[in-house]
Amino acid sequence: MIRKVLTFLVSSLVITLGIALVLILSQRPAALPPGEGLDFTNTLAAAGPAPQSLSQVAMRDGYPLQVRRYAGQAADAPLLVLVHGSGWHGLQFDALARDLAASADVVVPDLRGHGTKPGRRGDINYINQFEDDLADLITATAKPDQKVVLAGHSSGGGLAIRFAGGAHGTMLDAAVLMAPFLKHNAPTMRPNAGGWAHPLLRRIIGLGMLNTFRITALNHLTIMQFRMPQVVLDGPLGETATTAYSYRLNTGFAPRGDYLKDVAALPRFTLIAGTSDEAFDAAQYEPTLSAGTDKGRYVLVDGVGHLDIVDAPETRQAIESLINDL
């Protein structure tokens, strides 16, 4: 009897793993035409002619994380870490960070796998590495007893939520979520993020099955592509764009599957989104997140799109208000 049960279990495991491998191997990254799902026009124009220079902060594995620092002008200013969205890098915050330097010590990283010195572009070493990197950045940058605010845009907002629900969440005193990505099945989601994202669904399912059994050897495979506009790819920053993500990077750049559990771990936070967001339905944020927490304040800005919310005056005002209340 025991032998039959073991045989059945082994057979089931082999079949499951076989199905997973078939799904993974049956799909490869496509040669996508450049898309116009997100409008980068104002993002490309937002930074001044001489953006803040990059410096380095060593992570626990020695990786030199590229960061921009904007020193605060107030003696009791909190540390504000701004985390960029998918496919781009910290330069998207240059104008906002300069404005907020009057209220906070602002640090803007180019996440590992992104920007001018990505390491392996579009990839990280393990799923939770972004969380560890942010913890290392905060530890290396924060002054003794300094309050810490983690802010993120789009996938960066999703990472802020993930960070709050993870091993280092107690490091945060507050958070700012700018049009955050929650999960592919969240009520806030528009189809394929408004045409920006091209997920390789069979690979995602297959790799998810393998990871259920803690098989991570194929987590470096690409499972997400982005339709980056041609104006970006042909421009002076084209080489800094990241157009594809591995399974482990994409997974670690978002809240966990039970995203409301991560949401429930958030400290006080402000969520800011534009009513004309191409990727997400801004009206769904408050009813969705309030199911997990009552710590949020929600600011919707009329007529503003997904990328432009970063430099909307209402965003700066909302962040300053949060900082003043710490």
Side-chain angles (χ1 to χ4, degrees), residues 289-312:
L289 271 68
S290 62
T293 180
D294 61 358
K295 297 177 183 176
R297 174 179 175 241
Y298 300 86
V299 178
L300 298 187
V301 184
D302 287 340
V304 174
H306 183 69
L307 294 177
D308 290 347
I309 194 63
V310 169
D311 290 309

Side-chain angles (χ1 to χ4, degrees), residues 37-59:
L38 297 180
D39 184 359
F40 275 75
T41 303
N42 293 329
T43 298
L44 293 173
Q52 193 80 346
S53 61
L54 286 162
S55 59
Q56 298 179 354
V57 176
M59 300 290 96

Side-chain angles (χ1 to χ4, degrees), residues 59-117:
M59 300 290 96
R60 63 189 64 187
D61 64 343
Y63 173 75
L65 188 73
Q66 305 297 302
V67 302
R68 291 178 172 86
R69 299 171 184 261
Y70 306 78
Q73 300 173 17
D76 58 348
L79 174 65
L80 173 64
V81 181
L82 295 172
V83 183
H84 62 80
S86 58
W88 207 227
H89 42 73
L91 190 60
Q92 78 169 115
F93 291 120
D94 193 60
L96 177 63
R98 291 175 189 274
D99 288 342
L100 292 174
S103 304
D105 295 332
V106 186
V107 177
V108 184
D110 287 352
L111 292 176
R112 187 188 299 249
H114 300 78
T116 59
K117 297 181 180 179

Side-chain angles (χ1 to χ4, degrees), residues 2 15 47 63 70-71 80 91 97 111 157 161 169 175 205 209-211 254 260 279 302 305 307 310 317:
I2 295 177
I15 291 171
Y63 173 75
Y70 306 78
L80 173 64
L91 190 60
L111 292 176
I161 295 171
I205 294 169
M209 294 168 67
L210 292 186
N211 277 261
L260 285 180
D302 287 340
L307 294 177
V310 169
Q317 293 163 8

